[in-house]
Amino acid sequence: MVKRTCFEDAQCPIARSLDAIGDGWSLLIIRDALGGRRRFSEFQKSLGTAKNILAARLRALVAHGIFELRPASDGSAYQEYVLTDKGKDLFPVLVALRQWADDYLFEPGEEYTRLVDRKSGKRVRRLELHAQDGRLLRRQDTELVRVP
Amino acid sequence: MVKRTCFEDAQCPIARSLDAIGDGWSLLIIRDALGGRRRFSEFQKSLGTAKNILAARLRALVAHGIFELRPASDGSAYQEYVLTDKGKDLFPVLVALRQWADDYLFEPGEEYTRLVDRKSGKRVRRLELHAQDGRLLRRQDTELVRVP
DNA sequence: GACAGTGGTTTCATTATGAAACCATTTGAG
DNA sequence: CTCAAATGGTTTCATAATGAAACCACTGTC
């Protein structure tokens, strides 16, 4: 069930991330979960996935500790899939993908959703990367070093 | 050749991003390209992908405008795959994935690479999301609004 | 001119994905 | 309480993607 052997013991953090969530549906499920969905049928309706696929993905995400199963909050006998902290912390990944898409994958008038600051209602700024001392860093200002 | 029909006309920016780069190899190729690799054989050696898969992926990435083919910079008759601005701007996505992995997918002493500020050599800070007025925003401080 | 390296393509086997049917349990309506 | 519908899946089967290996044309190297 989703067994990407070549990534599994990869040293690269990006490869590891992709092993956990790099399958095309996972991030959409997590997006929905961050939007408040929690029930199997909610995900299924929202995503339009085949039920077997969704079941397999949710099982894998639970196994990875990104979701956990909990008794339904409305008191019913069913269960809910809720994001763990690990899952919630994928938020920046989703924001990065969203901002990139906004920049390059949408036509000018085509905007569809907007991520806003709840307080002001205004659009958020671009994700920023800073140095320890606070300087704003561009890609070229950074470097990847190996620590053995 | 990689035809994720259910994402193609998706309105959601995240779904669109995943349609372009959400296949598991693409981001690793782009990671390598940001690290300076440009030739087919460099990618192939580094990633260990089957050549047919790599060829298909590179073709798709070129078609998406993430890479472009250019005559080799060393004057040989071969060509190089170089990132366009669109491709380079996936940097924040990679940083987000890396930071998440560092937090959750590595054991304490297991660190492997570190993204540093070139000037100081010190590790970069976490990606930050700010409001227009500069306030640092957490996930809960944001909201997704539909713009029709 | 021989030989290795580059950048692929082709073929075939394996694996993942997806659609549809099915099913046990739960819930809601009457 | 009863029955129908909804929930949360699993199973089966077809199709599509991936991967390994062999092959091949062209390039650079000696």
Coordinates of all heavy atoms in Angstrom, one line a residue, chain A residues 20-94:
Chain A
A20 N 5.8 10.8 3.0 CA 4.6 10.8 3.8 C 3.4 11.4 3.2 O 2.3 10.9 3.3 CB 5.0 11.6 5.1
I21 N 3.6 12.4 2.4 CA 2.5 13.2 1.9 C 2.5 13.5 0.4 O 1.7 14.3 -0.1 CB 2.4 14.5 2.6 CG1 3.7 15.3 2.6 CG2 1.9 14.4 4.1 CD1 3.6 16.7 2.5
G22 N 3.5 12.9 -0.3 CA 3.7 13.3 -1.6 C 2.9 12.5 -2.6 O 3.4 12.2 -3.7
D23 N 1.7 12.1 -2.4 CA 1.0 11.3 -3.3 C -0.1 11.9 -4.0 O -0.9 11.2 -4.7 CB 0.5 10.1 -2.6 CG -0.7 10.5 -1.8 OD1 -0.6 11.4 -1.0 OD2 -1.8 9.9 -2.1
G24 N -0.3 13.2 -3.9 CA -1.3 13.8 -4.7 C -2.7 14.0 -4.0 O -3.3 15.0 -4.2
W25 N -3.1 13.0 -3.2 CA -4.3 13.2 -2.5 C -4.1 13.7 -1.1 O -4.9 14.5 -0.6 CB -5.1 11.9 -2.5 CG -5.8 11.5 -3.7 CD1 -5.5 10.4 -4.5 CD2 -6.8 12.3 -4.4 NE1 -6.3 10.4 -5.6 CE2 -7.1 11.6 -5.6 CE3 -7.5 13.5 -4.2 CZ2 -8.1 12.0 -6.5 CZ3 -8.4 13.9 -5.1 CH2 -8.7 13.2 -6.3
S26 N -3.0 13.2 -0.5 CA -2.8 13.5 0.9 C -2.9 15.0 1.2 O -3.6 15.4 2.2 CB -1.5 13.0 1.4 OG -1.4 11.6 1.3
L27 N -2.3 15.8 0.4 CA -2.3 17.3 0.7 C -3.7 17.9 0.6 O -4.1 18.8 1.2 CB -1.3 18.0 -0.1 CG 0.2 17.9 0.4 CD1 1.2 18.5 -0.6 CD2 0.3 18.6 1.8
L28 N -4.4 17.3 -0.4 CA -5.8 17.8 -0.5 C -6.7 17.4 0.6 O -7.5 18.1 1.1 CB -6.4 17.3 -1.8 CG -5.7 17.8 -3.1 CD1 -6.3 17.2 -4.3 CD2 -5.8 19.3 -3.2
I29 N -6.4 16.2 1.1 CA -7.2 15.8 2.3 C -6.8 16.7 3.5 O -7.7 17.1 4.2 CB -6.8 14.3 2.7 CG1 -7.3 13.4 1.5 CG2 -7.4 13.9 4.0 CD1 -6.8 11.9 1.7
I30 N -5.5 17.0 3.6 CA -5.1 17.8 4.8 C -5.6 19.2 4.6 O -6.1 19.8 5.6 CB -3.6 17.8 4.8 CG1 -3.1 16.4 5.3 CG2 -3.1 18.9 5.8 CD1 -1.7 16.1 5.0
R31 N -5.6 19.7 3.4 CA -6.3 21.0 3.1 C -7.7 21.0 3.6 O -8.1 21.9 4.3 CB -6.2 21.3 1.6 CG -7.0 22.5 1.2 CD -7.4 22.4 -0.3 NE -8.4 21.3 -0.5 CZ -8.9 20.9 -1.7 NH1 -8.5 21.5 -2.8 NH2 -9.7 19.9 -1.8
D32 N -8.4 20.0 3.3 CA -9.8 19.9 3.7 C -10.0 19.8 5.2 O -10.8 20.4 5.8 CB -10.5 18.7 3.1 CG -11.0 19.0 1.7 OD1 -10.7 20.1 1.1 OD2 -11.7 18.1 1.1
A33 N -9.0 19.0 5.8 CA -9.1 18.9 7.2 C -8.8 20.2 7.9 O -9.4 20.6 8.9 CB -8.1 17.8 7.7
L34 N -7.9 21.0 7.4 CA -7.6 22.3 8.0 C -8.8 23.2 7.8 O -9.0 24.1 8.6 CB -6.4 22.9 7.3 CG -5.0 22.4 7.8 CD1 -3.9 22.9 6.9 CD2 -4.8 22.8 9.2
G35 N -9.6 22.9 6.8 CA -10.8 23.7 6.6 C -12.0 23.2 7.4 O -13.1 23.7 7.3
G36 N -11.7 22.2 8.3 CA -12.7 21.8 9.2 C -13.4 20.5 9.0 O -14.2 20.0 9.8
R37 N -13.1 19.9 7.9 CA -13.7 18.6 7.6 C -13.1 17.5 8.5 O -11.9 17.5 8.7 CB -13.6 18.2 6.1 CG -14.6 19.0 5.3 CD -14.6 18.6 3.9 NE -14.1 19.7 3.1 CZ -15.0 20.5 2.5 NH1 -16.3 20.4 2.6 NH2 -14.5 21.5 1.7
R38 N -13.9 16.5 8.9 CA -13.3 15.5 9.7 C -13.9 14.1 9.4 O -13.3 13.1 9.9 CB -13.6 15.8 11.2 CG -14.5 17.0 11.5 CD -14.7 17.3 12.9 NE -13.6 18.1 13.4 CZ -13.2 18.1 14.7 NH1 -13.8 17.2 15.6 NH2 -12.3 18.9 15.1
R39 N -15.0 14.0 8.7 CA -15.6 12.7 8.5 C -15.3 12.1 7.2 O -15.1 12.9 6.2 CB -17.1 12.8 8.7 CG -17.6 13.3 10.0 CD -17.6 12.1 11.0 NE -18.8 11.3 10.7 CZ -19.9 11.3 11.5 NH1 -20.0 12.0 12.6 NH2 -20.9 10.5 11.1
F40 N -15.2 10.8 7.2 CA -14.9 10.1 5.9 C -15.8 10.6 4.8 O -15.3 11.0 3.7 CB -15.1 8.6 6.1 CG -14.7 7.8 4.9 CD1 -13.4 7.2 4.9 CD2 -15.6 7.5 3.9 CE1 -13.0 6.4 3.8 CE2 -15.2 6.7 2.8 CZ -13.9 6.2 2.8
S41 N -17.0 10.7 5.0 CA -17.9 11.1 3.9 C -17.8 12.5 3.5 O -18.0 12.9 2.3 CB -19.4 10.8 4.3 OG -19.6 11.5 5.6
E42 N -17.3 13.3 4.4 CA -17.1 14.7 4.1 C -15.9 14.8 3.1 O -16.0 15.5 2.1 CB -16.7 15.6 5.3 CG -17.9 15.8 6.2 CD -17.5 16.7 7.4 OE1 -16.7 16.2 8.3 OE2 -17.9 17.8 7.5
F43 N -14.8 14.1 3.4 CA -13.7 14.1 2.5 C -14.1 13.5 1.2 O -13.7 14.1 0.1 CB -12.5 13.3 3.1 CG -11.9 13.9 4.4 CD1 -12.0 13.2 5.6 CD2 -11.3 15.1 4.3 CE1 -11.4 13.7 6.7 CE2 -10.8 15.7 5.5 CZ -10.8 15.0 6.7
Q44 N -14.8 12.5 1.3 CA -15.1 11.8 0.0 C -16.0 12.7 -0.9 O -15.7 12.8 -2.1 CB -15.9 10.5 0.3 CG -15.6 9.4 -0.8 CD -16.9 9.1 -1.5 OE1 -17.9 8.9 -0.9 NE2 -16.7 8.9 -2.8
K45 N -17.0 13.3 -0.3 CA -17.8 14.2 -1.1 C -17.0 15.4 -1.7 O -17.1 15.7 -2.8 CB -19.0 14.7 -0.3 CG -20.1 15.3 -1.1 CD -21.3 15.6 -0.2 CE -21.8 14.4 0.5 NZ -22.9 14.7 1.5
S46 N -16.2 15.9 -0.8 CA -15.4 17.1 -1.2 C -14.4 16.8 -2.3 O -14.2 17.6 -3.2 CB -14.7 17.7 0.0 OG -13.6 18.5 -0.3
L47 N -13.7 15.7 -2.2 CA -12.6 15.4 -3.1 C -13.1 14.6 -4.3 O -12.4 14.7 -5.4 CB -11.5 14.6 -2.4 CG -10.8 15.3 -1.2 CD1 -10.0 14.3 -0.4 CD2 -9.9 16.4 -1.8
G48 N -14.2 13.8 -4.2 CA -14.6 13.0 -5.3 C -13.7 11.8 -5.5 O -13.7 11.2 -6.6
T49 N -12.9 11.4 -4.5 CA -12.1 10.2 -4.6 C -12.9 9.0 -4.6 O -13.9 9.0 -4.0 CB -11.1 10.1 -3.4 OG1 -11.6 10.7 -2.3 CG2 -9.7 10.5 -3.8
A50 N -12.3 7.9 -5.1 CA -12.9 6.6 -4.9 C -12.7 6.3 -3.4 O -11.8 6.7 -2.8 CB -12.2 5.6 -5.7
K51 N -13.7 5.6 -2.9 CA -13.7 5.3 -1.5 C -12.5 4.5 -1.0 O -12.0 4.7 0.0 CB -15.0 4.7 -1.1 CG -16.2 5.6 -1.2 CD -17.5 4.9 -1.2 CE -18.0 4.6 0.2 NZ -19.3 3.9 0.2
N52 N -12.2 3.5 -1.9 CA -11.1 2.7 -1.5 C -9.8 3.4 -1.4 O -9.0 3.3 -0.5 CB -10.9 1.5 -2.5 CG -10.9 1.9 -3.9 OD1 -11.2 3.1 -4.2 ND2 -10.6 1.1 -4.8
I53 N -9.6 4.4 -2.3 CA -8.4 5.2 -2.3 C -8.4 6.1 -1.1 O -7.4 6.1 -0.4 CB -8.4 6.1 -3.6 CG1 -8.5 5.3 -4.9 CG2 -7.1 6.9 -3.6 CD1 -7.4 4.3 -5.0
L54 N -9.5 6.7 -0.8 CA -9.6 7.6 0.3 C -9.3 6.8 1.6 O -8.5 7.2 2.5 CB -10.9 8.2 0.4 CG -11.1 9.1 1.6 CD1 -10.1 10.3 1.7 CD2 -12.6 9.7 1.6
A55 N -9.9 5.6 1.7 CA -9.6 4.8 2.9 C -8.2 4.4 3.0 O -7.6 4.5 4.1 CB -10.5 3.5 2.8
A56 N -7.5 4.1 1.9 CA -6.1 3.7 2.0 C -5.3 4.9 2.4 O -4.4 4.8 3.2 CB -5.7 3.2 0.6
R57 N -5.6 6.1 1.8 CA -4.8 7.3 2.2 C -5.0 7.7 3.6 O -4.0 8.0 4.3 CB -5.3 8.5 1.3 CG -4.8 8.4 -0.1 CD -3.4 8.8 -0.3 NE -2.5 7.6 -0.2 CZ -1.3 7.6 0.4 NH1 -0.8 8.7 0.9 NH2 -0.6 6.5 0.4
L58 N -6.2 7.7 4.1 CA -6.5 8.0 5.5 C -5.7 7.0 6.4 O -5.1 7.5 7.4 CB -8.0 8.0 5.8 CG -8.7 9.3 5.2 CD1 -10.2 9.1 5.4 CD2 -8.3 10.5 6.0
R59 N -5.8 5.8 6.1 CA -5.1 4.8 6.9 C -3.6 5.1 6.9 O -3.0 5.1 8.0 CB -5.3 3.4 6.3 CG -5.2 2.3 7.3 CD -5.5 0.9 6.6 NE -6.8 1.0 5.9 CZ -6.9 0.4 4.6 NH1 -5.9 -0.2 4.0 NH2 -8.1 0.5 4.0
A60 N -3.0 5.4 5.8 CA -1.6 5.8 5.7 C -1.3 7.0 6.5 O -0.3 7.1 7.3 CB -1.2 5.9 4.3
L61 N -2.2 8.0 6.4 CA -1.9 9.3 7.2 C -2.1 9.1 8.7 O -1.3 9.7 9.4 CB -2.9 10.3 6.7 CG -2.7 10.8 5.2 CD1 -3.8 11.7 4.7 CD2 -1.4 11.6 5.2
V62 N -3.0 8.2 9.1 CA -3.0 7.9 10.5 C -1.8 7.2 10.9 O -1.2 7.5 11.9 CB -4.3 7.0 10.8 CG1 -4.2 6.4 12.2 CG2 -5.6 7.8 10.6
A63 N -1.3 6.2 10.1 CA -0.1 5.5 10.4 C 1.1 6.4 10.5 O 2.0 6.2 11.3 CB 0.2 4.4 9.3
H64 N 1.1 7.5 9.7 CA 2.2 8.5 9.8 C 2.0 9.5 10.9 O 2.8 10.4 11.1 CB 2.3 9.2 8.5 CG 3.1 8.6 7.5 ND1 2.6 7.9 6.4 CD2 4.5 8.4 7.4 CE1 3.6 7.4 5.6 NE2 4.7 7.7 6.2
G65 N 0.9 9.4 11.7 CA 0.7 10.3 12.8 C 0.3 11.7 12.3 O 0.4 12.7 13.1
I66 N -0.3 11.8 11.1 CA -0.7 13.1 10.6 C -2.2 13.3 11.0 O -2.6 14.4 11.3 CB -0.5 13.2 9.1 CG1 1.0 13.2 8.9 CG2 -1.2 14.3 8.5 CD1 1.4 13.0 7.5
F67 N -3.0 12.2 11.0 CA -4.3 12.2 11.5 C -4.4 11.3 12.7 O -3.6 10.4 12.8 CB -5.3 11.7 10.4 CG -5.7 12.7 9.4 CD1 -5.1 12.8 8.2 CD2 -6.8 13.6 9.7 CE1 -5.5 13.8 7.3 CE2 -7.2 14.5 8.8 CZ -6.5 14.6 7.6
E68 N -5.4 11.5 13.5 CA -5.7 10.5 14.5 C -7.2 10.3 14.5 O -8.0 11.2 14.1 CB -5.2 10.8 15.9 CG -5.8 12.0 16.5 CD -5.1 12.4 17.8 OE1 -4.1 11.7 18.2 OE2 -5.6 13.3 18.5
L69 N -7.6 9.0 14.8 CA -9.0 8.7 14.8 C -9.6 9.0 16.2 O -9.0 8.6 17.2 CB -9.2 7.2 14.5 CG -9.4 6.9 13.1 CD1 -9.3 5.4 12.9 CD2 -10.8 7.4 12.6
R70 N -10.7 9.7 16.2 CA -11.3 10.0 17.5 C -12.8 9.7 17.5 O -13.4 9.9 16.4 CB -11.1 11.5 17.9 CG -9.7 11.7 18.3 CD -9.7 12.7 19.4 NE -10.3 14.0 18.9 CZ -9.7 15.2 19.0 NH1 -8.5 15.2 19.6 NH2 -10.2 16.2 18.6
P71 N -13.4 9.4 18.6 CA -14.9 9.3 18.6 C -15.5 10.6 18.1 O -15.0 11.7 18.5 CB -15.2 9.0 20.1 CG -13.9 9.1 20.8 CD -12.8 9.1 19.9
A72 N -16.5 10.5 17.4 CA -17.1 11.7 16.8 C -17.5 12.7 17.9 O -18.0 12.3 18.9 CB -18.3 11.3 16.0
S73 N -17.3 14.0 17.6 CA -17.5 15.0 18.5 C -19.0 15.3 18.8 O -19.4 15.8 19.8 CB -16.9 16.3 18.1 OG -17.2 16.6 16.7
D74 N -19.8 14.8 17.8 CA -21.3 15.0 18.0 C -22.0 13.9 18.7 O -23.2 13.8 18.8 CB -21.9 15.2 16.6 CG -21.7 14.0 15.7 OD1 -21.1 13.0 16.2 OD2 -22.2 14.0 14.6
G75 N -21.2 13.0 19.3 CA -21.8 12.0 20.2 C -22.3 10.8 19.4 O -22.7 9.8 20.0
S76 N -22.2 10.8 18.1 CA -22.6 9.6 17.4 C -21.6 8.5 17.6 O -20.5 8.6 18.1 CB -22.7 9.9 15.9 OG -21.5 9.8 15.3
A77 N -21.9 7.3 17.1 CA -21.1 6.1 17.2 C -19.9 6.1 16.2 O -19.1 5.3 16.3 CB -21.9 4.9 17.1
Y78 N -20.0 7.0 15.3 CA -18.9 7.0 14.3 C -17.6 7.7 14.8 O -17.6 8.2 15.9 CB -19.4 7.8 13.0 CG -20.5 7.1 12.3 CD1 -21.8 7.8 12.2 CD2 -20.4 5.9 11.8 CE1 -22.8 7.1 11.5 CE2 -21.4 5.2 11.1 CZ -22.6 5.9 11.0 OH -23.7 5.2 10.3
Q79 N -16.6 7.6 14.0 CA -15.3 8.2 14.3 C -15.0 9.4 13.4 O -15.6 9.5 12.4 CB -14.2 7.2 14.3 CG -14.4 6.1 15.3 CD -13.1 5.3 15.5 OE1 -12.7 4.6 14.5 NE2 -12.5 5.3 16.6
E80 N -14.1 10.2 13.9 CA -13.6 11.3 13.1 C -12.1 11.2 12.8 O -11.4 10.7 13.6 CB -13.9 12.6 13.8 CG -15.3 12.9 14.0 CD -15.5 14.2 14.8 OE1 -14.5 14.6 15.5 OE2 -16.5 14.8 14.6
Y81 N -11.7 11.8 11.7 CA -10.3 11.9 11.5 C -9.9 13.3 11.8 O -10.4 14.3 11.1 CB -10.0 11.7 10.0 CG -10.2 10.2 9.6 CD1 -11.5 9.8 9.1 CD2 -9.2 9.3 9.6 CE1 -11.7 8.5 8.8 CE2 -9.4 8.0 9.3 CZ -10.6 7.6 8.8 OH -10.8 6.3 8.5
V82 N -9.1 13.5 12.8 CA -8.7 14.9 13.1 C -7.1 15.0 13.0 O -6.4 14.0 13.3 CB -9.1 15.3 14.5 CG1 -10.6 15.0 14.7 CG2 -8.3 14.6 15.6
L83 N -6.7 16.1 12.6 CA -5.3 16.4 12.4 C -4.6 16.4 13.7 O -5.1 17.1 14.7 CB -5.1 17.7 11.7 CG -5.4 17.7 10.2 CD1 -5.4 19.2 9.7 CD2 -4.4 16.9 9.4
T84 N -3.4 15.8 13.8 CA -2.5 16.0 14.9 C -1.8 17.3 14.7 O -1.9 18.0 13.7 CB -1.5 14.8 15.0 OG1 -0.8 14.9 13.7 CG2 -2.2 13.5 15.1
D85 N -0.9 17.6 15.7 CA -0.1 18.8 15.5 C 0.8 18.6 14.3 O 1.0 19.6 13.5 CB 0.8 19.0 16.7 CG 0.0 19.6 17.9 OD1 -1.1 20.1 17.6 OD2 0.4 19.5 19.0
K86 N 1.3 17.5 14.1 CA 2.2 17.1 13.0 C 1.4 17.4 11.7 O 2.0 18.0 10.7 CB 2.5 15.7 13.0 CG 3.4 15.2 11.9 CD 3.8 13.7 12.2 CE 4.7 13.1 11.1 NZ 5.1 11.7 11.4
G87 N 0.2 17.1 11.7 CA -0.7 17.4 10.5 C -0.9 18.8 10.3 O -0.8 19.4 9.2
K88 N -1.3 19.5 11.4 CA -1.6 20.9 11.3 C -0.4 21.7 10.9 O -0.5 22.8 10.2 CB -2.0 21.4 12.7 CG -3.4 20.9 13.1 CD -3.8 21.4 14.5 CE -5.0 20.7 15.0 NZ -5.1 20.9 16.5
D89 N 0.8 21.2 11.2 CA 2.0 22.0 10.9 C 2.4 21.9 9.4 O 3.4 22.4 9.0 CB 3.2 21.5 11.8 CG 3.0 22.2 13.2 OD1 2.2 23.0 13.3 OD2 3.8 21.8 14.0
L90 N 1.6 21.2 8.6 CA 1.8 21.2 7.2 C 1.2 22.5 6.6 O 1.3 22.7 5.4 CB 1.2 20.0 6.5 CG 2.0 18.7 6.7 CD1 1.2 17.5 6.4 CD2 3.2 18.8 5.8
F91 N 0.6 23.3 7.4 CA 0.0 24.5 6.9 C 0.9 25.3 6.0 O 0.5 25.8 4.9 CB -0.5 25.3 8.1 CG -1.1 26.6 7.8 CD1 -2.3 26.7 7.1 CD2 -0.5 27.8 8.2 CE1 -2.9 28.0 6.8 CE2 -1.0 29.1 7.9 CZ -2.2 29.1 7.2
P92 N 2.1 25.6 6.5 CA 3.0 26.4 5.6 C 3.3 25.7 4.2 O 3.4 26.4 3.2 CB 4.4 26.4 6.4 CG 4.0 26.2 7.8 CD 2.8 25.3 7.8
V93 N 3.3 24.4 4.2 CA 3.4 23.8 2.9 C 2.3 24.1 2.0 O 2.4 24.5 0.8 CB 3.5 22.2 3.0 CG1 3.6 21.6 1.7 CG2 4.8 21.9 3.9
L94 N 1.1 24.1 2.5 CA -0.1 24.4 1.7 C -0.1 25.9 1.3 O -0.5 26.2 0.2 CB -1.4 24.0 2.5 CG -1.5 22.5 2.8 CD1 -2.7 22.3 3.7 CD2 -1.7 21.8 1.5

